[in-house]
Amino acid sequence: MDRIPGEKVRREAWWKRMSRRMDRASLQFSEQVHDIVLLRRDLDDEFYDDLLELLIGADAGTGTAETLITNLRERVRSERLTTSEEALNALKEEMAVLLESRDRRLRADNRPAVILLVGVNGSGKTTTAGKLAWRLREQGVTVLLAGADTYRAAAIDQLRVWANRAETDVVTHQHGADPGAVVYDAVQALQARRLDVLIVDTAGRLHTKSNLMAELQKIRRVVERMIPEAPQEVLLVLEAPTGMNAIAQARAFHEAMGLTGVVLTKLDGTSRGGTLLAIEAELGVPVKLVGMGEDIDDLNVFDPRAYLDALFAGVLDVPVAPGAPAPRP
């Protein structure tokens, strides 16, 4: 989606706050780097083994960690790096290459567009729906919310609260209603009112239950029948503190729904900064949005360079790829 005036300034201010809020992950990572890596003078096999162990311990995932270390070894050799500080800067750049290779734009340009939010209960779907609605409205987009989590009366009430905060209309049915019927009515309203984007909040019972996936697939079919090119986005909402346990959830939803992106919430509540790397590597699906805090503006596009600057804060002062273009929201 195209930027709007003032968006760059607002995003930069948000990521400065993010840097402060990631203190927990940054502190643990920097302490481990200092104890394991920076105290070593030689870039020998033990150095790389310790660095690999550090990355795996940060929930980066074994496969991703091994790839990063392999690429780091090659960079150290080709660039003739000699110090641990230089090697760490090179590692940061390798992580940036990995993250910046993905398209993180929100695909909502073809109107009317439908965004499905999926995920287990407690991951922050309803909150994300409200924050995303507000964010899109700030960009001049007309938005409608749909409460397809009819299994929890509290979810319907919560969505109405967020819709009010975002100054957005919402389509809901009574508790226990057919979620497919809610989505059908919402898509009809989207088309009749000539609105731009529909955001659907879905149920999130345990991902191990096949009936949840069947219900989500039914919702998708309803959308596809009414708007053949929709849904343009199927976003999985995950809590960052879940760590590697999130991978099992993600696989199940991806197999059932064909995810297009991930929304990572509570990024400020985790001490393991590598979770994001593992999720993307395992699924091949980009993290498009990240959230931290409870304010309505505490949701933003994921900026890899700012994320790495925050993660390595206290260890390195050299920014990644200073001339590289920022990702589009």
Side-chain angles (χ1 to χ4, degrees):
M1 301 182 66
D2 293 335
R3 289 185 180 176
I4 58 173
E7 174 71 1
K8 181 178 180 181
V9 173
R10 186 168 70 87
R11 286 178 60 222
E12 288 177 348
W14 192 90
W15 280 100
K16 285 179 181 178
R17 290 187 327 203
M18 184 279 293
S19 180
R20 292 194 298 269
R21 290 180 176 183
M22 274 189 65
D23 283 348
R24 185 179 176 188
S26 177
L27 178 61
Q28 179 164 322
F29 187 76
S30 63
E31 286 178 346
Q32 291 176 334
V33 167
H34 183 268
D35 293 342
I36 296 175
V37 179
L38 291 182
L39 294 180
R40 297 187 181 280
R41 294 183 177 274
D42 298 326
L43 303 184
D44 52 15
D45 288 340
E46 191 173 357
F47 169 86
Y48 292 110
D49 289 344
D50 287 345
L51 194 54
L52 175 65
E53 184 178 341
L54 187 154
L55 291 173
I56 294 174
D59 273 351
T62 302
T64 303
E66 289 177 344
T67 298
L68 286 170
I69 296 302
T70 298
N71 294 343
L72 176 61
R73 282 178 178 269
E74 176 58 28
R75 184 184 282 256
V76 167
R77 185 195 62 79
S78 63
E79 297 182 7
R80 298 181 180 179
L81 306 181
T82 59
T83 69
S84 57
E85 288 86 355
E86 291 174 332
L88 279 179
N89 269 307
L91 174 63
K92 188 179 176 184
E93 290 170 5
E94 286 297 329
M95 294 170 75
V97 169
L98 195 64
L99 291 172
E100 292 181 339
S101 64
R102 301 188 186 279
D103 183 2
R104 304 181 188 277
R105 291 173 294 178
L106 201 62
R107 298 183 299 183
D109 291 327
N110 294 328
R111 313 286 169 75
V114 178
I115 299 173
L116 300 182
L117 299 181
V118 301
V120 300
N121 282 344
S123 61
K125 292 189 306 298
T126 304
T127 300
T128 297
K131 292 179 179 180
L132 180 56
W134 183 87
R135 177 178 174 79
L136 292 175
R137 284 193 69 255
E138 285 283 288
Q139 298 182 21
V141 178
T142 55
V143 183
L144 180 67
L145 289 168
D149 183 359
T150 60
Y151 299 99
R152 293 188 306 123
I156 299 173
D157 294 338
Q158 185 186 9
L159 186 62
R160 287 173 178 157
V161 170
W162 277 102
N164 184 61
R165 293 182 65 184
E167 299 179 0
T168 303
D169 288 339
V170 59
V171 174
T172 61
H173 285 193
Q174 65 182 3
H175 175 232
D178 178 10
V182 176
V183 174
Y184 181 86
D185 288 349
V187 174
Q188 278 197 325
L190 176 74
Q191 295 172 317
R193 302 179 197 177
R194 299 184 181 276
L195 301 176
D196 296 326
V197 177
L198 171 66
I199 302 172
V200 181
D201 179 28
T202 65
R205 291 159 297 176
L206 291 177
H207 64 280
T208 52
K209 294 186 178 180
S210 59
N211 60 338
L212 170 61
M213 298 308 171
E215 193 65 63
L216 292 175
Q217 290 169 340
K218 176 184 174 182
I219 288 174
R220 179 169 190 139
R221 289 194 298 271
V222 169
V223 172
E224 290 172 341
R225 283 197 297 268
M226 301 180 75
I227 305 177
E229 61 272 23
Q232 284 81 355
E233 292 279 6
V234 181
L235 302 178
L236 173 65
V237 182
L238 283 174
E239 284 186 310
T242 307
M244 292 301 291
N245 291 330
I247 299 299
Q249 295 178 22
R251 284 201 192 101
F253 281 102
H254 194 31
E255 290 172 2
M257 295 295 290
L259 302 175
T260 61
V262 173
V263 181
L264 205 58
T265 64
K266 301 181 182 178
L267 191 59
D268 53 336
T270 180
S271 62
R272 302 197 174 198
T275 304
L276 191 148
L277 290 165
I279 290 172
E280 293 199 343
E282 289 285 337
L283 296 182
V285 173
V287 173
K288 294 194 172 184
L289 298 164
V290 293
M292 53 188 74
E294 295 301 322
D295 293 336
I296 199 166
D297 62 342
D298 284 331
L299 181 75
N300 211 314
V301 294
F302 175 61
D303 186 326
R305 290 177 292 114
Y307 166 75
L308 291 175
D309 284 345
L311 183 62
F312 280 84
V315 183
L316 298 172
D317 297 323
V318 181
V320 176
R328 295 177 60 193

